[in-house]
């Protein structure tokens, strides 16, 4: 029996040692898996933080582009108004130039008519002087 008793404790001890080794290996394996998961989580967090930073940067760029677009639209609208005003003023300037030409033409015509009348009066005066000179030559002077 001692040999039976001694073989049973020895088998129990061996089984316990094997179980302990297996548990230790499984624990080490679990710790390795946990370490890998923790490392993956850290990488994931880094990637996530990087992507969030990039998303914020893109949002800032989008906001700046939107402001630029609004500013450009406002400048375009102002330029369009100025163009319309300039076209209107140009139209008025053309009308004014046409009126000025008409006034100048009327002024030239008036001067021409005045000069024509002056010439007629001078011509009549010269004719009258000639007539007077003819008549005074025909009449003997009373001197």
């Amino acid at each position: 029996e001692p040999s039976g008793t001694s073989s049973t404790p020895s088998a129990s001890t061996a089984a316990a040692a094997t179980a302990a080794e297996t548990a230790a290996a499984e624990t080490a394996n679990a710790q390795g898996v946990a370490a890998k998961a923790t490392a993956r989580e850290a990488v994931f967090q880094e990637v996530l933080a990087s992507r969030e930073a990039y998303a914020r940067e893109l949002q800032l760029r989008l906001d700046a582009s939107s402001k630029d677009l609004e500013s450009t639209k406002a400048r375009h609208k102002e330029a369009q108004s100025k163009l319309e005003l300039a076209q209107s003023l140009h139209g008025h300037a053309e009308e004014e130039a046409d009126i000025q030409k008409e006034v100048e033409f009327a002024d030239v015509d008036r001067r021409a008519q005045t000069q024509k009348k002056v010439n007629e009066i001078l011509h009549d005066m010269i004719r009258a002087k000639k007539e007077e000179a003819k008549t005074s030559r025909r009449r003997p002077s009373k001197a």
Side-chain angles (χ1 to χ4, degrees):
E1 287 215 24
S3 67
T5 6
S6 68
S7 74
T8 305
S10 176
S12 286
T13 305
T18 305
E21 286 175 6
T22 303
E26 287 176 357
T27 301
N29 188 33
Q31 287 174 342
V33 168
K36 285 180 183 176
T38 302
R40 272 190 245 138
E41 176 67 18
V43 169
F44 174 77
Q45 290 299 327
E46 281 181 35
V47 169
L48 181 61
S50 172
R51 295 218 173 139
E52 286 174 344
Y54 184 62
R56 285 190 300 273
E57 181 183 335
L58 289 178
Q59 186 63 47
L60 291 174
R61 286 184 189 174
L62 177 63
D63 292 346
S65 293
S66 294
K67 287 179 184 176
D68 287 347
L69 178 61
E70 289 304 314
S71 175
T72 300
K73 282 181 181 179
R75 285 194 313 271
H76 174 74
K77 188 175 181 180
E78 183 180 335
Q80 185 68 30
S81 295
K82 286 180 180 178
L83 175 63
E84 290 170 1
L85 177 62
Q87 288 172 337
S88 173
L89 291 175
H90 180 69
H92 290 307
E94 286 180 343
E95 290 174 18
E96 189 175 317
D98 290 344
I99 291 170
Q100 184 64 33
K101 285 178 187 174
E102 289 177 23
V103 167
E104 288 172 6
F105 178 77
D107 192 39
V108 167
D109 188 50
R110 181 186 52 77
R111 280 193 230 143
Q113 292 296 328
T114 302
Q115 188 63 46
K116 184 178 175 185
K117 286 180 183 177
V118 166
N119 288 344
E120 287 174 0
I121 291 169
L122 287 174
H123 186 68
D124 288 346
M125 287 174 65
I126 292 170
R127 192 176 326 130
K129 287 282 184 183
K130 284 182 181 179
E131 282 296 319
E132 187 180 316
K134 282 184 188 177
T135 15
S136 66
R137 278 189 235 151
R138 288 185 199 157
R139 288 192 219 145
S141 74
K142 296 182 178 181

